[in-house]
Amino acid sequence: MMRARMDEYVEICRQLADKHNCIFVDFQKMYEEYCKIRHSSYIAWDRVQ
């Protein structure tokens, strides 16, 4: 549920960036890519992100 909600927020932000001619940086995607090579505890030892 929370993951699906995050995807909704990301899409809304992407649309707003396009509408207002802004650069959109998808930090969620960056985080997911990072977690393919390192455990999330490298970013937050308590795993709260």
Side-chain angles (χ1 to χ4, degrees):
M1 176 71 176
M2 185 64 182
R3 180 72 205 130
R5 180 65 66 184
M6 182 59 69
D7 290 339
E8 291 175 15
Y9 291 149
V10 168
E11 186 54 33
I12 290 167
C13 290
R14 185 184 319 276
Q15 291 172 9
L16 285 170
D18 287 344
K19 177 180 177 180
H20 296 284
N21 198 28
C22 296
I23 296 171
F24 174 75
V25 179
D26 190 341
F27 285 105
Q28 182 62 39
K29 183 174 181 169
M30 292 169 60
Y31 176 75
E32 290 171 5
E33 291 297 316
Y34 177 82
C35 288
K36 289 179 182 178
I37 59 171
R38 292 270 192 243
H39 193 272
S40 62
S41 63
Y42 280 85
I43 295 174
W45 62 268
D46 61 0
R47 298 183 184 173
V48 176
Q49 287 109 16

